[in-house]
Amino acid sequence: MTQRTFSIIKPDAVRKGYTGAILAEIDKAGFKIVSLKKASISKPQAQGFYHVHSERPFFSDLCDFMSSGPLVLMVLEKENAIADLRKLMGATNPANAEEGTIRKKFAGSIQENAIHGSDAEDTAAFEIGYWFAGYELV
Ligand code: GDP
């Protein structure tokens, strides 16, 4: 079943010049880029996006990081896109990420970990709708 997921190339990876290399990994893995935009987001926008983590101790630092510089917002599509992107990303903490994953190759720390990917169908729907209007997804 063709499925859509939402992804971010996070500010650390954009800052380090890894945008093209990460897009190449996504392309090689068979994802279609439905929509893509580079943006700088505010801390309140980051707080709304990560509201499920609002009680976590790292919430404020995470939102400062996500609003610290440009990032790349994407909607990706393929069979089994949500699970396949999570696999391609690797573990949240790059120290635990498998060889060949994006986080193993490009992430610097558990917070500055290069890429975001939705973890389920309901979160993918929320996240796509949070950053993209319907006319950007045709
Ligand atoms: P993900 O689904 O693999 O991105 O991980 P989570 O949903 O658990 O966490 C969201 C994001 O919060 C992660 O991608 C990291 O950027 C950050 N994060 C998660 N755990 C920690 C932590 O223990 N410390 C810090 N500083 N950031 C974290």
Side-chain angles (χ1 to χ4, degrees):
M1 185 192 66
T2 300
Q3 190 180 51
R4 286 182 176 183
T5 192
F6 171 75
S7 183
I8 302 177
I9 302 176
K10 294 187 179 182
D12 58 316
V14 173
R15 214 161 12 239
K16 291 174 187 163
Y18 294 150
T19 301
I22 292 173
L23 286 173
E25 297 280 344
I26 289 168
D27 185 55
K28 200 168 61 182
F31 291 88
K32 174 186 161 192
I33 297 172
V34 177
S35 201
L36 176 152
K37 55 189 175 188
K38 188 172 183 182
S40 293
I41 67 168
S42 66
K43 187 167 182 181
Q45 284 177 310
Q47 289 167 328
F49 175 67
Y50 275 127
H51 70 277
V52 293
H53 293 309
S54 62
E55 302 301 320
R56 309 277 285 273
F58 57 82
F59 181 63
S60 184
D61 283 351
L62 173 62
C63 294
D64 281 335
F65 161 58
M66 292 299 285
S67 55
S68 68
L71 39 65
V72 177
L73 306 164
M74 295 174 284
V75 178
L76 305 174
E77 186 174 272
K78 79 187 278 297
E79 293 260 313
N80 208 28
I82 294 171
D84 284 2
L85 182 65
R86 299 284 299 182
K87 203 167 167 204
L88 180 66
M89 286 163 46
T92 307
N93 186 346
N96 303 327
E98 279 184 44
E99 285 299 330
T101 61
I102 288 174
R103 282 171 167 165
K104 182 72 177 183
K105 289 181 185 168
F106 302 111
S109 71
I110 191 167
Q111 178 171 277
E112 304 207 357
N113 60 2
I115 187 165
H116 167 85
S118 309
D119 63 2
E121 279 192 29
D122 58 341
T123 48
F126 164 76
E127 292 174 358
I128 290 169
Y130 191 81
W131 297 112
F132 288 89
Y135 70 86
E136 296 175 293
L137 299 169
V138 287

